[in-house]
Amino acid sequence: MTDLDASTVVIENLRRVATLCGDALEGDVVLGIRNGRVRFAGLRGSLPREFGAALRHDAGGRLLTPALIDCHTHPAFVHARAEEWRMKLAGVSYEEIASRGGGILSSAAHVRGAGNDQLAEATLRHLRALRAHGVAVVECKSGYGLSLEHELRQLRAIAWAAEQAGVKAVGTCLAAHALPAERRGSPELREQYLREVCEQILPQAAAARLALRADVFCERGAFSVEEARRVAQAARACGLALTVHADQLSHSGGARLAAELGAQSADHLEYADDADIAAMKAAGTAAVLLPGSTFFLRQERWAPARRMLDAGLKVALSTDFNPGSSPVCNPAFIMHLAVTRLGMTAEESLHAFTGGAAAALGLDGQEWGCIRAGSRAAFAIWDVEHEQELPYYVGSNLCAGVITCRGWQD
Ligand code: NIG
Ligand code: FE
């Protein structure tokens, strides 16, 4: 990881800069950065004099893009779920594994059993892996704690690990991910957990500034539309922005609910239809597509990305990095799936991991996911000649590093 600790920095020896707002820059390109913001992007001969004494960083003649933004991840887990993967390969479905106490509950059992240090170190490894693949901003969900104590432990682990890894974390409380084991078996127990989420977990996560957003898994086997609406209303009352795991395994109504609530995004959306797309468009709710999980779960149905893009919806892509449905920390592989399975172009796939992802997280698109005067000094450099090669070299990690400069998060 390269964190350039100087107030003025010049990144030089760039073959090409994909600004993602306007034309790419080619030739002997340099970037001039002051106080964590881009001030100049252009040919060396035009670099303003104020950068004469700046710290210089040699990018080795490579391609530079804005650092990637991964807007949907579950990185605070301590145990791979490779055993249940074997069951899945033998034909047992994701929902069947979940109903046998596997799946999310198995990750929760491991998180609850892990010490704070173990949880934090595992989360750090995961965030470092994402950064090594070009990511500087990561939305990080809890959701494997499923109680006040353990959801807050996960969110604290995320905050610590993000600082150590040099990534900006956007914390999201996903206490409404699954009903914990000890609250199963009766409607009263179910109600108790919903009250714990609405009255304790979300308010405390928000008050401690550990989460800026709340998420809910709206699906049969998880939470109904009614329950999800209730969780979302409680979240909104504590000032949290909203997002929904929606229409992943069935047409569960999550996208429609996200639109109704004015959520920042609805995520997954394999089963979303044209009416859902129209509702999201009208509400300004972004579509976050997670083809890594569609692929890993070997679902036949892929999200209708083309119809979404053609309808003018804001579309983002993300790894959905998690131990159950998408143990994938490589955005370029997700871009490959977007191009080959979702009908997106290579350009659209990169935009969906930068500007589109910024929009899904409510980040200012003038500052995040693009390179222009005033944008944040967070970049990825790549061992390819052109950004269209990122989805093309399937399965490789061609990221030569993420570069951030002092003050980029401030
Ligand atoms: O985004 N769908 C629900 N949540 C995760 C999977 C979580 C897990 O299986 O641990 C997802 O696919
Ligand atoms: Fe997810």
Side-chain angles (χ1 to χ4, degrees):
M1 123 177 168
T2 307
D3 202 2
L4 300 171
D5 191 16
S7 57
T8 53
V9 174
V10 170
I11 302 176
E12 56 193 358
N13 196 9
L14 293 162
R15 176 203 301 264
R16 176 178 170 90
V17 172
T19 62
L20 305 189
C21 53
D23 292 340
L25 305 168
E26 279 192 288
D28 187 8
V29 181
V30 300
L31 296 183
I33 292 130
R34 177 178 293 280
N35 297 331
R37 300 289 189 284
V38 173
R39 295 296 163 207
F40 174 82
L43 295 178
R44 178 187 293 282
S46 312
L47 180 69
R49 280 165 187 252
E50 57 172 309
F51 291 102
L55 176 70
R56 305 221 153 218
H57 181 83
D58 185 334
R62 295 187 176 90
L63 166 75
L64 181 144
T65 68
L68 305 181
I69 299 175
D70 199 349
C71 64
H72 178 136
T73 80
H74 308 247
F77 65 89
V78 293
H79 188 64
R81 303 213 307 259
E83 317 84 22
E84 79 178 37
W85 183 48
R86 291 170 53 155
M87 288 166 64
K88 272 191 206 126
L89 293 172
V92 186
S93 76
Y94 181 77
E95 285 165 296
E96 175 62 24
I97 287 169
S99 73
R100 292 187 201 171
I104 294 166
L105 289 191
S106 122
S107 289
H110 284 96
V111 163
R112 290 172 173 198
N116 287 340
D117 288 354
Q118 189 192 349
L119 177 59
E121 290 293 340
T123 307
L124 175 56
R125 274 200 305 282
H126 300 147
L127 295 186
R128 282 195 173 134
L130 289 168
R131 180 158 169 149
H133 287 82
V135 175
V137 180
V138 190
E139 188 259 13
C140 300
K141 301 175 193 295
S142 60
Y144 297 130
L146 309 181
S147 72
L148 176 64
E149 176 191 355
H150 296 292
E151 286 289 307
L152 294 182
R153 286 178 65 236
Q154 275 197 292
L155 291 168
R156 280 191 216 101
I158 287 165
W160 177 84
E163 199 174 330
Q164 298 298 310
V167 302
K168 172 183 169 65
V170 176
T172 299
C173 184
L174 177 55
H177 198 191
L179 205 59
E182 69 278 9
R183 309 279 200 176
R184 291 187 179 211
S186 77
E188 292 73 28
L189 287 167
R190 189 175 184 91
E191 173 62 21
Q192 278 174 22
Y193 187 59
L194 282 164
R195 288 184 66 162
E196 182 177 355
V197 172
C198 295
E199 294 170 17
Q200 297 185 49
I201 305 179
L202 293 171
Q204 293 197 34
R209 310 283 302 154
L210 288 168
L212 300 176
R213 321 195 315 152
D215 192 353
V216 50
F217 186 15
C218 183
E219 190 65 64
R220 59 178 190 225
F223 296 96
S224 69
V225 169
E226 285 312 310
E227 290 169 334
R229 183 182 286 114
R230 192 171 144 195
V231 168
Q233 283 165 350
R236 164 141 308 144
C238 12
L240 297 170
L242 303 174
T243 179
V244 180
H245 273 75
D247 302 292
Q248 176 188 13
L249 306 172
S250 64
H251 192 218
S252 56
R256 204 68 83 80
L257 176 69
E260 170 199 317
L261 296 163
Q264 286 182 329
S265 70
D267 300 27
H268 283 288
L269 301 172
E270 281 83 344
Y271 286 84
D273 64 16
D274 285 341
D276 297 324
I277 292 171
M280 289 172 63
K281 164 84 175 147
T285 296
V288 174
L289 307 183
L290 309 167
S293 77
T294 325
F295 175 81
F296 189 78
L297 297 178
R298 298 189 295 167
Q299 284 176 254
E300 271 163 23
R301 191 166 170 142
W302 298 80
R306 201 63 261 159
R307 298 214 304 275
M308 293 168 170
L309 286 160
D310 294 345
L313 215 55
K314 291 182 272 188
V315 172
L317 286 166
S318 166
T319 61
D320 192 16
F321 180 61
N322 79 75
S325 70
S326 188
V328 177
C329 61
N330 186 349
F333 176 64
I334 302 298
M335 292 182 213
H336 174 84
L337 293 177
V339 170
T340 57
R341 312 296 161 91
L342 301 185
M344 292 170 67
T345 66
E347 293 72 26
E348 285 168 340
S349 76
L350 180 55
H351 178 264
F353 251 110
T354 50
L361 293 176
L363 297 172
D364 185 341
Q366 303 286 311
E367 295 184 22
W368 299 94
C370 63
I371 295 171
R372 53 149 52 98
S375 67
R376 305 283 176 144
F379 314 102
I381 51 174
W382 305 94
D383 280 319
V384 297
E385 293 195 352
H386 190 289
E387 57 277 16
Q388 72 190 2
E389 295 163 43
L390 299 179
Y392 164 82
Y393 284 110
V394 51
S396 303
N397 180 19
L398 292 164
C399 180
V402 163
I403 301 173
T404 50
C405 302
R406 186 203 288 168
W408 72 283
Q409 292 196 49
D410 304 340

